[in-house]
Amino acid sequence: MEIVKIIITIVFIIICVALAALVLMQEGKSAGLGSIAGAAETYWGKNKGRSMEGMLIKLTTVISILFMVLALVLNLSFF
């Protein structure tokens, strides 16, 4: 069981570093004054889910869920 805890801890550290990198790679959510005039409704604004930024958001969500699950697993006392 000690080997399993070591492996999960190593995976947890890798996920921590990946999550920090993904959050730092994302752009800020403030659109500035362009959002007042409706400038965000361009082609890139409508297709944001298919862009690189949309992929980063989805990947951040998945990695953060993995982070929470592994944190709970590591916190359990049966290890």
Side-chain angles (χ1 to χ4, degrees):
M1 279 305 224
E2 192 66 29
I3 300 293
V4 174
K5 185 174 181 179
I6 292 171
I7 291 172
I8 292 176
T9 304
I10 291 171
V11 171
F12 184 69
I13 292 170
I14 292 170
I15 286 178
C16 289
V17 171
L19 185 61
L22 282 172
V23 168
L24 290 173
M25 286 171 42
Q26 291 181 12
E27 294 180 12
K29 296 295 180 190
S30 63
L33 293 176
S35 64
I36 296 173
E41 289 299 322
T42 62
Y43 174 76
W44 300 112
K46 292 179 183 176
N47 292 322
K48 194 174 249 190
R50 296 183 203 166
S51 67
M52 183 66 139
E53 185 178 346
M55 185 192 70
L56 284 175
I57 292 171
K58 290 175 187 173
L59 194 59
T60 303
T61 304
V62 171
I63 296 281
S64 62
I65 291 171
L66 282 172
F67 173 81
M68 293 301 288
V69 169
L70 282 179
L72 288 172
V73 167
L74 285 172
N75 196 27
L76 293 176
S77 61
F78 63 84
F79 277 119

